[in-house]
Amino acid sequence: PCRAQPKKKKKVDVKKEQAQKERMKKKLKKLEKAPPELIPIEDFITPLKYSESNRVRSLPALSPEESERRVLLLKKWCLFKQKQDEAEKQAIKALVESQQEALKELRLESEELFEAAIRRDEGLFPFERDGPSYTPPLPGYDPPEGKCVDITKVYTQ
Amino acid sequence: DALLGCHRSYRSRPTHGIGKFKYLLPKEAPKKRKEKVQMKEIDAGTEYQYGDVNIQMTSYDLCLVEHFAQYVHRLCNRLSIRVNESYAMPTKTNEVLFMEDRGSKMQLDAVLTTHQRVVQIRGLSSTFAPILLEIIQSSQPEGVHLLMKQHTEADFKSRLKSRPELEELLAEMS
């Protein structure tokens, strides 16, 4: 049914809605202005209980034989590590050299195969590998029932 | 007159810049502006070179994974592979509960923290990649899980804090 005087509520609603939208846009602009922050890493923050200076260790005095033994052990360890590092460098060198030789031979064989070999391997990434374990899993082990709960602290900006 | 009394050294005269002294003072460090965490451009790589590659090492043992990350970083330096960034991902804490033999209660067994370190490299040539992989695998310590993959925007975004208010507003607007 048409009225003589139309309702005024519609205009007020439209104005209110517009005002609300503007407020939301302003809020959005403010939030977007702030740059995103990195999540702080708990590893690098020392917990306060370790910075209290109550805990101070007093080490016993070392006998000269003991310190001598330790210095010689350190030297042996250094030598061992150096040999290990040298072996690794040699291994890398050998691998690279053999690879280059193989590629040279391949080039002499056929250019097409050489080009295909030089291209990057799409199937290489992603590459996943679990580290070796001290004790591999037992075959007939029946673990007790349980569950894992993720309690990582969620940071919000 | 005041106008004629001023001693202005003109630019062509030898007395130009006679009163300057700031060049003699030690240089002040410029004001530190907060560095905005912006995503660096991700390199896609050519046909003979991989672009940005992430080497992610995860483990429960913090010292082990840190030392391994340092070893990988130094290895890349020695082999003159460009290392873009070497950062740590936020640690995840897991509570392991197990059911008691007799009873319905879940008992707390341990609280484990998972640590992850990432070394980002660029410009790895396609012939050298399998060699690098072999070397890293041969020196992988126990309990450290290795993952190598291409760097994506999602990887970068997972390092940033979530902004629920912004997302809510965006959802309301659209």
Side-chain angles (χ1 to χ4, degrees):
Chain A
C2 314
R3 295 203 182 179
Q5 273 182 339
K7 282 187 189 175
K8 284 188 186 175
K9 281 185 189 176
K10 284 183 189 174
K11 280 188 189 174
V12 179
D13 268 349
V14 165
K15 270 194 179 175
K16 269 192 180 176
E17 268 189 50
Q18 274 180 345
Q20 227 189 358
K21 269 194 181 177
E22 272 185 39
R23 261 180 276 154
M24 277 189 19
K25 277 188 189 172
K26 275 193 178 175
K27 252 192 182 180
L28 200 81
K29 261 192 182 178
K30 241 194 172 179
L31 283 174
E32 275 193 340
K33 251 193 177 181
E37 287 170 29
L38 286 174
I39 301 178
I41 295 161
E42 291 154 13
D43 294 346
F44 302 150
I45 310 167
T46 44
L48 289 169
K49 66 174 185 174
Y50 296 131
S51 48
E52 280 173 26
S53 49
N54 302 348
R55 309 164 48 142
V56 177
R57 234 197 279 184
S58 54
L59 298 165
L62 289 172
S63 64
E65 291 95 14
E66 181 65 31
S67 54
E68 181 93 22
R69 188 186 79 96
R70 283 193 190 184
V71 164
L72 286 170
L73 191 67
L74 201 74
K75 281 180 160 259
K76 279 189 206 169
W77 176 251
C78 283
L79 194 71
F80 168 76
K81 270 293 184 185
Q82 188 192 44
K83 293 235 166 96
Q84 207 183 44
D85 198 41
E86 206 56 38
E88 194 183 66
K89 284 187 186 159
Q90 286 292 335
I92 295 178
K93 233 181 161 183
L95 280 169
V96 165
E97 269 177 21
S98 54
Q99 198 185 49
Q100 290 298 324
E101 256 200 66
L103 282 173
K104 255 195 233 172
E105 292 296 314
L106 188 63
R107 191 160 209 183
L108 291 171
E109 281 288 322
S110 77
E111 276 292 325
E112 273 184 26
L113 287 175
F114 175 74
E115 285 293 311
I118 286 240
R119 269 165 204 270
R120 74 188 219 186
D121 186 11
E122 300 299 334
L124 192 59
F125 302 117
F127 173 78
E128 245 188 280
R129 190 196 176 222
D130 271 325
S133 49
Y134 284 112
T135 50
L138 294 171
Y141 181 61
D142 181 27
E145 279 181 30
K147 64 178 181 186
C148 240
V149 178
D150 192 5
I151 48 170
T152 338
K153 189 172 169 191
V154 173
Y155 292 91
T156 49
Q157 192 170 5
Chain B
D1 282 322
L3 287 169
L4 289 171
C6 72
H7 305 279
R8 267 181 57 226
S9 7
Y10 218 68
R11 281 179 236 169
S12 54
R13 298 288 167 105
T15 49
H16 176 61
I18 192 162
K20 282 189 189 171
F21 64 91
K22 206 166 178 188
Y23 68 96
L24 294 170
L25 294 172
K27 280 206 172 165
E28 287 175 9
K31 275 188 187 174
K32 268 190 185 176
R33 277 193 191 171
K34 247 195 174 180
E35 280 177 19
K36 287 194 178 178
V37 178
Q38 262 183 355
M39 195 182 78
K40 296 181 191 168
E41 282 173 23
I42 301 179
D43 189 12
T46 61
E47 283 185 346
Y48 306 106
Q49 261 193 4
Y50 296 94
D52 282 335
V53 172
N54 272 4
I55 309 177
Q56 293 174 336
M57 294 151 276
T58 332
S59 174
Y60 294 120
D61 188 357
L62 174 69
C63 302
L64 208 55
V65 80
E66 275 254 10
H67 286 291
F68 189 48
Q70 280 178 15
Y71 165 76
V72 165
H73 199 313
R74 285 191 183 176
L75 190 75
C76 293
N77 281 354
R78 211 191 323 154
L79 301 168
S80 46
I81 301 172
R82 186 182 141 171
V83 174
N84 276 353
E85 282 184 289
S86 169
Y87 53 86
M89 296 289 276
T91 40
K92 298 183 188 164
T93 332
N94 275 323
E95 236 181 34
V96 180
L97 309 148
F98 71 90
M99 193 87 89
E100 281 185 58
D101 278 333
R102 294 167 196 186
S104 52
K105 265 199 224 169
M106 291 285 234
Q107 212 195 45
L108 179 68
D109 195 18
V111 178
L112 295 171
T113 48
T114 314
H115 308 266
Q116 192 177 56
R117 297 280 181 276
V118 180
V119 176
Q120 204 183 91
I121 49 180
R122 183 185 282 213
L124 187 65
S125 71
S126 52
T127 47
F128 195 68
I131 298 180
L132 184 71
L133 218 63
E134 192 65 42
I135 294 292
I136 295 180
Q137 269 184 75
S138 64
S139 54
Q140 197 177 351
E142 293 87 0
V144 173
H145 180 89
L146 179 74
L147 168 65
M148 273 176 91
K149 60 194 270 281
Q150 306 265 24
H151 184 60
T152 53
E153 204 176 312
D155 287 325
F156 178 75
K157 293 243 162 101
S158 63
R159 284 173 79 188
L160 303 171
K161 286 187 189 168
S162 65
R163 301 160 118 178
E165 301 142 343
L166 192 72
E167 281 164 30
E168 267 179 32
L169 276 176
L170 279 169
E172 271 186 66
M173 292 289 275
S174 57

